[in-house]
Amino acid sequence: MKLWDESIEGYRAEAKALLEQLPFTGIPEADLPEDPVARVQLMRENMRVMEPEPSPMAVEDTIPGPAGDIPVRMFVPDNPRAMFLHIHGGGWIVGHPQMSDVDNEHVAKRHGLAVLSVDYRLAPEHPYPAGPDDCEAAAAWMLEHGPERWGTDKMFIGGESAGGHLAAATLLRVRDRLGAIDRVLGTNLVFGIYDLRGTPSVYGNGGNPDMLNPQNLQFMIECFTPSMSDAERRNADVSPLFADLSGLPSCLVSAGTYDHLLDDSLFFATRLAAAESPVELAVYPDSPHGFTLFPCEMTRVHTARLNAWIASKMP
């Protein structure tokens, strides 16, 4: 069974060439402090150097949250047709909404979506459940205020990497806690992590180049779920792979074959299908974690597929 369309076979050579130029996004292990908080703070400072120019469309605001106001970044077109709750990546420990300004502006303008990107609390200072609680609060706020502010009560949810994990967890909370799953049009899950115990590809991706490795993944998981046992990490609110996945709206699940988190997407999409929830699985050969950051043909194909998927779900 082929997991990708034959039309992208010709882009594999470019993808492999890009792998040799993977950007150095980290700090040498020997230069990192042992203290997790100090280590993460240094990683955040390093990331700030690489952040993109802010979008002129973005508006910063706050919404009420379980531990005080939550900063959010909004992209609102004229006459929105629906809403999009975006959740940024960064391993639950780094990152912020501005990282995704280009994509969020694109989604707002092309599809007429009122986009809210939530600046949820980060670990290790704020471990589980702080981040998921903030994302749930953002979803609840949009569901409550969307009709009056933007004239719509329908929404998408989506995110990348740890943001994909939080998007899946938020989707389940919208169903189980907010009772509003009928108002979610779809969920875009991009190279997310759904089993925090670690799927097989986490421990070995065939030795292929990737922006992740088992050591930094384990560090991120420990920061987010400190001292949790494997049994505790099987809780469906922590690892969405273990949830009842029935009765959910359409999900687009995407990952590259060189990604250490590939199996998370393969397993999650299969369990969605077995639960008879509509799902599309998009697999990109020879592509690492975070491949959508590269200006390449695989990224173009991914963007085109996302555009078509969103358009097919619009009210």
Side-chain angles (χ1 to χ4, degrees):
M1 179 177 67
K2 200 76 169 177
L3 291 179
W4 53 86
D5 191 277
E6 291 289 341
S7 64
I8 64 176
E9 281 289 332
Y11 305 143
R12 298 180 72 164
E14 180 194 32
K16 288 181 178 178
L18 284 169
L19 289 172
E20 299 176 1
Q21 306 170 36
L22 278 177
F24 177 70
T25 57
I27 301 167
E29 188 74 24
D31 296 338
L32 288 170
E34 291 188 12
D35 175 67
V37 174
R39 179 173 178 172
V40 168
Q41 288 174 345
L42 187 60
M43 294 168 68
R44 291 171 187 162
E45 291 171 8
N46 188 60
M47 281 195 67
R48 288 286 181 183
V49 178
M50 300 178 290
E51 69 183 19
E53 289 294 317
S55 163
M57 187 181 185
V59 175
E60 295 184 347
D61 204 344
T62 61
I63 61 172
D69 287 346
I70 304 171
V72 297
R73 200 165 175 84
M74 298 185 186
F75 303 75
V76 183
D78 295 334
N79 304 310
R81 300 172 60 198
M83 302 175 287
F84 191 103
L85 171 60
H86 173 258
I87 307 173
H88 71 79
W92 309 284
I93 61 175
V94 299
H96 51 92
Q98 187 179 317
M99 291 166 41
S100 303
D101 270 15
V102 173
D103 291 340
N104 285 333
E105 179 180 319
H106 167 80
V107 166
K109 288 182 175 178
R110 179 172 183 122
H111 300 286
L113 298 178
V115 180
L116 183 151
S117 190
V118 55
D119 198 0
Y120 56 90
R121 287 171 289 167
L122 298 175
E125 298 94 332
H126 305 285
Y128 173 88
D133 286 351
D134 287 354
C135 295
E136 178 189 352
W141 185 90
M142 294 177 77
L143 291 167
E144 178 181 356
H145 296 282
E148 64 187 64
R149 289 184 62 131
W150 302 314
T152 176
D153 67 349
K154 302 295 185 183
M155 70 186 300
F156 291 88
I157 301 172
E160 307 81 30
S161 193
H165 164 270
L166 292 169
T170 302
L171 177 69
L172 294 167
R173 288 187 179 205
V174 169
R175 182 192 66 186
D176 300 337
R177 301 188 186 191
L178 303 182
I181 199 64
D182 59 312
R183 294 170 61 184
V184 180
L185 298 171
T187 308
N188 178 40
L189 305 175
V190 186
F191 36 75
I193 178 169
Y194 311 112
D195 181 355
L196 271 64
R197 303 171 310 157
T199 55
S201 60
V202 164
Y203 300 101
N205 72 336
N208 295 306
D210 192 22
M211 295 178 73
L212 294 176
N213 62 55
Q215 293 73 35
N216 59 34
L217 275 167
Q218 190 57 44
F219 175 74
M220 294 171 184
I221 291 169
E222 285 294 338
C223 286
F224 180 58
T225 56
S227 303
M228 275 194 186
S229 65
D230 277 356
E232 291 169 320
R233 288 183 178 133
R234 279 198 296 269
N235 182 304
D237 194 53
V238 177
S239 293
L241 186 65
F242 291 89
D244 170 10
L245 300 181
S246 61
L248 296 176
S250 176
C251 289
L252 176 60
V253 181
S254 306
T257 60
Y258 284 2
D259 193 337
H260 278 82
L261 297 179
L262 171 63
D263 285 349
D264 286 74
S265 290
L266 298 181
F267 296 170
F268 197 71
T270 302
R271 289 209 67 238
L272 283 164
E276 299 184 88
S277 289
V279 59
E280 293 183 30
L281 174 63
V283 178
Y284 298 89
D286 305 336
S287 298
H289 189 77
F291 75 92
T292 57
L293 298 172
F294 301 108
C296 62
E297 287 301 313
M298 289 294 186
T299 298
R300 184 189 64 78
V301 172
H302 168 77
T303 300
R305 182 160 189 174
L306 175 60
N307 285 335
W309 178 80
I310 292 176
S312 72
K313 310 305 174 190
M314 291 293 287

